[in-house]
Amino acid sequence: MFRSKLKTIFLAICSIILAGSLISFPQESLEASIRGLNMWWEIVFPSLLPFFIVSEMLIGFGVVKFIGVILEPFMRPLFKVPGVGAFVWAMGMASGFPAGAKLTARMRQEGQLTQIEAERLVSFTNSSNPLFIFGAVAVGFFHNPHLGVILALAHYLGNICVGIIMRFYGNETPDKVKDKQGTFILKNALSSLHQTRIKDKRPIGKLLGDAVNSSIQTLLMVGGFIILFSVINKLLFHLHITAALAKGFDIILSGLSFPEMLSIPFISGLFEITLGSDLTSSVQDATLLQQAIITSFILGFSGFSVQAQVASILAQTDIRFKPFFFARIAQGLFASVFALILWKPIYIRFYQTEQPSNAVPVSFFEEGTFLHSYFNKLMEMGPLITIFTLSIYVLVLYNRLRKSH
């Protein structure tokens, strides 16, 4: 009881401080809010919406169940999750935060995952997508597409390590479909595909409408969190709380022979990955390796902004948030270590020589190439796509409400 009262008082005080800060720093709060809004409607909404809609349709048509049966022999021994986890993992990497959490929650609601399996799965299926790592961070902030190779490898290898570690989390779950595997796996997968489609009795129009409705509602929630944490991050800086917290990390950074100037970007990155990565790239006293290590941790940890989005999605199910939070710390550490380990054999060897013919190809992300142009076009067309989609969403919602009355 005392603990509950203490929590209530703490939350009340935080709310009062936040409200007072908004009043004290109206201009800074407005600028931060606009920055978060621009990030959401220029990049996040138009890039995530197609993935969310397609995912919902694939689930409804039974394709996910088909993939689950096919990949059960791979996912179960390695990560101790059902085969559908492979679909969630792939979509999470392709589309970025918080797709893994949304799809995991959906799988749990449909009973395709147990609670423990869902907590294992969500811990390693939320990651930054390659376009963000290469386009926004490596090219946009560091102006160095080659750095994206190190950041991406460190990030996804860290993801795999977290998944392998999390297989030991929770009680043992029985191996499923053991006797049905082998030569009949394709037949069983096709049967599951058909049965799932038959059970979902919604017509295609209704399924598509539900997919759009669910996806936009999730992205509206995501936008709210991005704006909120953008403002909180700015206010913490102006209240000198970020600097105070950074003092504690100065000792750790000094022990690692890192410049103390990285402490404020590091703290900012704990709250919001984009701002943290941007500030890290601007620290002139740090070497590129030191910047890569800090940025890798920030990307792996995901920031409290992304974690709040995931917590909101998981709250709709019985999936607990605590395993996900500790998994983010683990991935941040793994990613930092991998960035250090891979630096000499990959970045120094391939990208700091006069013979780049053996280099790992990143030409798709260099200036003037397709993906670089796509990223710029997305930022230009993003607001129009967002406004157009939201207009359609409002019309569909209005028609549904009118018919229900």
Side-chain angles (χ1 to χ4, degrees):
M1 188 67 178
F2 174 75
R3 190 176 177 182
S4 178
K5 288 181 178 179
L6 203 63
K7 182 179 179 180
T8 301
I9 293 171
F10 174 75
L11 292 174
I13 291 173
C14 289
S15 300
I16 292 170
I17 292 173
L18 179 59
S21 302
L22 289 170
I23 296 171
S24 302
F25 301 100
Q27 183 62 35
E28 291 83 356
S29 299
L30 177 62
E31 291 173 357
S33 181
I34 292 173
R35 176 185 171 277
L37 179 62
N38 286 337
M39 187 193 310
W40 176 71
W41 81 332
E42 286 179 356
I43 301 174
V44 175
F45 189 97
S47 62
L48 283 183
L49 182 64
F51 284 98
F52 280 4
I53 294 175
V54 170
S55 298
E56 291 285 341
M57 294 181 68
L58 290 174
I59 292 169
F61 292 144
V63 177
V64 175
K65 192 70 175 176
F66 172 84
I67 295 171
V69 176
I70 292 288
L71 296 178
E72 182 87 9
F74 169 74
M75 297 298 291
R76 181 70 64 180
L78 189 59
F79 301 116
K80 207 176 283 188
V81 296
V84 292
F87 169 78
V88 178
W89 191 19
M91 293 300 288
M93 284 195 293
S95 56
F97 312 111
K102 177 177 170 58
L103 294 174
T104 302
R106 179 67 190 276
M107 297 291 103
R108 175 59 184 149
Q109 289 167 344
E110 292 192 345
Q112 298 190 45
L113 299 168
T114 66
Q115 183 187 24
I116 295 296
E117 288 171 345
E119 289 169 357
R120 289 173 186 157
L121 184 61
V122 77
S123 66
F124 71 95
T125 54
N126 283 272
S127 58
S128 295
N129 64 35
L131 188 62
F132 176 77
I133 294 175
F134 281 92
V137 179
V139 176
F141 300 152
F142 287 92
H143 309 290
N144 184 354
H146 299 144
L147 184 64
V149 175
I150 295 295
L151 296 177
L153 284 174
H155 189 67
Y156 297 124
L157 287 173
N159 242 344
I160 294 171
C161 289
V162 168
I164 293 173
I165 287 177
M166 287 300 291
R167 80 183 300 279
F168 301 104
Y169 164 77
N171 297 323
E172 292 290 323
T173 52
D175 291 340
K176 298 179 182 178
V177 274
K178 210 170 188 179
D179 298 327
K180 297 181 180 178
Q181 300 291 353
T183 56
F184 299 103
I185 187 171
L186 183 59
K187 180 180 177 182
N188 293 326
L190 290 170
S191 176
S192 297
L193 169 70
H194 180 65
Q195 292 299 323
T196 303
R197 189 189 68 81
I198 295 298
K199 287 178 182 178
D200 193 333
K201 299 180 179 178
R202 292 174 295 174
I204 294 178
K206 178 71 164 56
L207 191 149
L208 180 60
D210 289 345
V212 172
N213 186 53
S214 172
S215 301
I216 291 179
Q217 286 181 357
T218 301
L219 286 170
L220 287 172
M221 177 272 295
V222 169
F225 276 113
I226 290 174
I227 294 169
L228 174 64
F229 274 87
S230 180
V231 173
I232 290 175
N233 215 348
K234 192 76 170 179
L235 292 177
L236 289 175
F237 177 80
H238 285 284
L239 291 171
H240 305 292
I241 295 175
T242 302
L245 292 173
K247 290 291 182 183
F249 285 91
D250 287 346
I251 301 172
I252 300 174
L253 292 175
S254 298
L256 297 171
S257 300
F258 278 49
E260 295 180 359
M261 293 292 290
L262 283 170
S263 58
I264 289 181
F266 180 77
I267 295 296
S268 299
L270 294 183
F271 284 88
E272 207 276 307
I273 56 175
T274 308
L275 180 61
S277 301
D278 191 11
L279 291 175
T280 301
S281 68
S282 304
V283 178
Q284 301 296 326
D285 295 339
T287 64
L288 187 59
L289 172 58
Q290 292 171 338
Q291 291 174 325
I293 290 172
I294 294 295
T295 304
S296 292
F297 183 91
I298 290 171
L299 291 172
F301 185 71
S302 306
F304 294 129
S305 174
V306 170
Q307 292 181 24
Q309 298 166 28
V310 172
S312 178
I313 293 170
L314 299 185
Q316 304 168 20
T317 67
D318 60 354
I319 304 173
R320 289 165 293 196
F321 175 74
K322 189 181 293 185
F324 174 82
F325 175 74
F326 285 112
R328 298 281 61 73
I329 298 175
Q331 187 180 346
L333 294 173
F334 276 126
S336 298
V337 171
F338 277 121
L340 178 62
I341 293 173
L342 297 173
W343 188 256
K344 283 187 178 180
I346 293 184
Y347 189 85
I348 298 296
R349 180 182 178 186
F350 292 135
Y351 301 124
Q352 290 195 349
T353 64
E354 295 180 357
Q355 297 177 349
S357 58
N358 295 326
V360 178
V362 292
S363 56
F364 285 131
F365 297 94
E366 295 195 18
E367 191 171 351
T369 56
F370 169 72
L371 284 178
H372 186 269
S373 302
Y374 171 76
F375 185 75
N376 290 332
K377 284 289 183 183
L378 183 65
M379 294 190 67
E380 292 174 9
M381 300 295 295
L384 294 177
I385 296 171
T386 304
I387 293 172
F388 177 73
T389 307
L390 288 176
S391 301
I392 294 175
Y393 169 70
V394 170
L395 289 173
V396 171
L397 192 62
Y398 172 74
N399 287 331
R400 286 193 175 187
L401 291 173
R402 190 179 63 177
K403 289 178 181 178
S404 64
H405 292 303

